[in-house]
Each structure stands twice: as structure tokens, then as C-alpha cells.
Amino acid sequence: MKSLVLERKDELSLRDFPIDKDEAVLGPRDVRIKLHTVGICGSDVHYYTHGRIGPFVVDAPMILGHEASGTVIETGSEVTTLKAGDRVCMEPGIPDPNSKATRLGMYNVDPAVRFWATPPIHGILRPTCVHPEAFTFKLPDNVSFAEAAMVEPLAVGVHAATKAKIKPGDIAVVLGAGPIGLVTALSALAGGCARVYVSDLAEKKLEIAESLSPAIVGVDAGKESLVDRIKADTDGWGCDVVFEATGSPKAAAQVFQPLAPGGCVVMIGGQSEPIAYDAGAAMIREARVENIFRYAHVFPRCVAMLSSGTIDVKPLITRTFDFDESVKAFEIAASAPAGDVKMQIELPQ
Ligand code: ZN
């Protein structure tokens, strides 16, 4: 089927790809889905521009895309919760149901997890896919396909906010105003934060951040000291939670500086190399440090919050391309335009 294929580093093509036969078999608890909208993720772009992420190396052509929504077109014989015509979004990582990690309730860190567009598993920038019912979530009528394709990145923010154990009235800082930083800010507010400071160097991204909620305060880290600002606004005490969503070693090295005693740091941004970690600064605060890797079973919460209006991701979707323009869309995404947060691709229906 016609798919967006990463042939090798720096080379994409939209071409017929022989995945049809792998997808021909519909298991009893699987559904077949016609894809509607697929978001372009930083990880897709990183595979395109670098050919690898840490230990995951693209050494054979791979279909990209993992942030997806679509419509069920066929159901396996034992499927009970979905039927043809249902609009859905899909969780892209399928663990081994019998693994120790799964039995412990942390299937996202199952070493056997098969995650779309992570070598050697193909992604879903293609017309249809087969997916387990258990990882396919029905959408309420008031959640659009575009919003539903934002559930995957939103799930990262919701998982991070959950790990932070936010209390009503907490003050949080999010380092980085990219898509993950912004969904984390929205999740922190949904979790009860009174105010969320978002710091970045890109003015346009900070404008978008502030437009999301009156409780979000943008801090231009190139023009003012984030630590001074937080200290000034909290009578010198510091913030309750810091979310590191840049993946920059420099930002990570200073992650405890704005944190209050007893506060929590959540590391979200991926680090491919070992980084400096200020253990002394963590100790004198008795800081709690959490690390997250993707998420585990938060899609239903995300869908519920989009439906109720608790979280609105629509302002984050800044550009939409047709499937035929996929290669161009990735070239634009790779140039990291300052005014864009999330770009999406729509498949022909
Ligand atoms: Zn993603």
C-alpha cells in the first residue's frame, strides 16, 4: 500500500510498500482501521534527519508515523467494544501481555514493546492498519480526528503530570515550549496547578503557550533569568514541580535551580548521551526525581479531557498537509519553523 517510507537517513519517499501481507491477517481481538489523521512527531523527524534515536537504528526502509486517529472498518471475531464505523485513536506501543513489566502495570517499559515507527516496527503513514482492540479507543462525537491524533503526545504530558503528584495550587515550571512542553503545561493545569511557567528561547512559541491559558506564563530564557523570576514570584521559595521537556543537556543541568525544597523534577526530554546531574542541588532540597518513558494506559483519560473541554489541544495544531504532500511536510518539520507546534497529515478518505 502507498506509504510514507524512510528509506534511510535524509531520504523519504511516498511509494507502494509491501506491508499488505503482514496486515492481511486480522486476529480475533484485532480491528482494521482506515487512518484519518497522523501527527508528525519529533521522533519521526529525528529518524529522518539522524537515522537513529539512541539504540534504535533505521537500517532498513521503515514507514513513519505513530500519532494517529481513524475509523474502524473491520473487527475480529472476539471484538466486543468496537464496531465498523467507530471513530478511534490508537495507542502505538503494544507490549507482550505476559511480560513481567506488563504484569507489574508498567507495560511502557516492557523491553518487548512493539512501538509504531520505532525500528524495526513500521509506523502508520499508510491507508490502513491492523491493531489490537485493547489499544484502540473510541472517540466521542465532539472529539475531532485532528484532536484525537494529539492524544498520543498529550498522553506523555498526562503521564508526566501524574508522576509529579501535583496538588491543587502547585506552581510548576515547564522547560521547553515544543509540543511536549505545551501538552505538559496543559496537563499540569488540568492536574490542579495554579500557575505554570513555560520557558523557551523562541518568542513565537511562548506567545502560543500564553494563548493557551491565563494561568500559563511565558518566560523568555534568552532575556530573563528563569530562576530569578520564579524566586521573585514565590517569595524566594521556588516552584513545586519542574518538568524538563527540552532534552537539552544544558537545561537539564540546571533543573533543580528553580525548585522549592521538597519539590519534584520530572525528566521528559530524551537524552541520548550521559548528562551532568546536580546531585548536591537535589540533596539540599530533598528533591524527588521522576523519569518518564512514554505512558501507560492514559489514553482514556486524555480522550475524556478533550471531550469535556478540560484540555483543548486545537491551538497546538498549526498546520495540516495532505498525504500526497507528506515528504514536503517532513522537510518543513525538519526545518523546525518557529511558529509551528504540531503539524499533521490527513489521509484520503
Ligand atoms: Zn509522538
Side-chain angles (χ1 to χ4, degrees):
M1 59 179 89
K2 192 175 178 188
S3 308
L4 182 70
V5 182
L6 177 60
E7 308 285 0
R8 59 186 67 79
K9 175 174 140 35
D10 294 326
E11 188 185 334
L12 285 167
S13 55
L14 197 55
R15 64 163 167 103
D16 264 323
F17 194 82
I19 193 168
D20 312 55
K21 84 173 173 336
D22 312 0
E23 298 271 316
V25 185
L26 187 74
R29 303 188 68 177
D30 289 339
V31 293
R32 193 181 307 278
I33 299 156
K34 185 179 167 88
L35 277 307
H36 186 289
T37 303
V38 178
I40 300 178
C41 181
S43 69
D44 294 314
V45 174
H46 201 88
Y47 281 124
Y48 170 42
T49 55
H50 291 74
R52 67 181 299 156
I53 296 179
F56 299 103
V57 181
V58 179
D59 48 21
M62 177 180 82
I63 302 173
L64 291 174
H66 64 262
E67 303 179 354
S69 61
T71 306
V72 174
I73 51 173
E74 191 183 355
T75 55
S77 57
E78 291 171 19
V79 169
T80 57
T81 61
L82 295 167
K83 58 180 190 319
D86 282 347
R87 300 162 62 254
V88 292
C89 63
M90 294 80 87
E91 184 170 339
I94 310 303
D96 171 358
N98 300 309
S99 71
K100 182 157 184 168
T102 301
R103 285 179 288 140
L104 286 167
M106 35 191 243
Y107 66 78
N108 52 321
V109 292
D110 179 6
V113 75
R114 295 166 55 85
F115 196 97
W116 280 338
T118 301
I121 309 300
H122 290 293
I124 37 64
L125 272 160
R126 51 185 155 118
T128 63
C129 70
V130 167
H131 205 58
E133 173 190 24
F135 291 83
T136 304
F137 302 92
K138 193 175 167 177
L139 302 174
D141 290 343
N142 69 346
V143 176
S144 67
F145 286 115
E147 292 169 90
M150 285 296 292
V151 166
E152 198 277 335
L154 176 60
V156 176
V158 169
H159 187 52
T162 306
K163 282 260 184 162
K165 299 197 177 92
I166 289 166
K167 294 184 292 300
D170 274 355
I171 306 292
V173 165
V174 177
L175 305 177
I180 294 296
L182 296 183
V183 293
T184 300
L186 291 172
S187 302
L189 287 176
C193 279
R195 199 177 312 142
V196 179
Y197 294 84
V198 176
S199 94
D200 203 286
L201 295 164
E203 212 171 304
K204 184 73 198 149
K205 287 195 171 25
L206 293 171
E207 271 171 36
I208 296 170
E210 289 193 326
S211 75
L212 300 176
S213 163
I216 293 180
V217 181
V219 177
D220 187 333
K223 292 193 179 139
E224 88 177 290
S225 155
L226 173 70
V227 177
D228 290 352
R229 176 67 184 274
I230 299 300
K231 291 274 161 80
D233 287 3
T234 58
D235 298 327
W237 180 246
C239 62
D240 302 292
V241 184
V242 173
F243 295 99
E244 200 313 285
T246 67
S248 144
K250 200 169 156 231
Q254 295 162 27
V255 84
F256 298 106
Q257 300 308 323
L259 190 71
C264 176
V265 164
V266 185
M267 302 298 285
I268 307 171
Q271 301 285 352
S272 50
E273 302 293 333
I275 55 165
Y277 174 90
D278 192 345
M283 263 177 214
I284 57 166
R285 291 167 172 80
E286 286 203 342
R288 180 165 59 90
V289 181
E290 298 281 358
N291 292 279
I292 67 152
F293 186 62
R294 299 172 180 153
Y295 37 74
H297 204 56
V298 294
F299 272 48
R301 288 169 182 271
C302 295
V303 171
M305 288 192 286
L306 294 180
S307 182
S308 67
T310 306
I311 285 183
D312 181 8
V313 291
K314 292 191 290 294
L316 305 184
I317 304 163
T318 49
R319 257 199 256 202
T320 307
F321 297 86
D322 287 336
F323 186 47
D324 281 341
E325 308 171 299
S326 292
V327 174
K328 183 180 111 192
F330 268 80
E331 284 166 1
I332 293 172
S335 74
D340 279 295
V341 182
K342 178 58 72 181
M343 300 184 198
Q344 294 183 328
I345 292 172
E346 274 185 9
L347 287 104
Q349 295 301 299

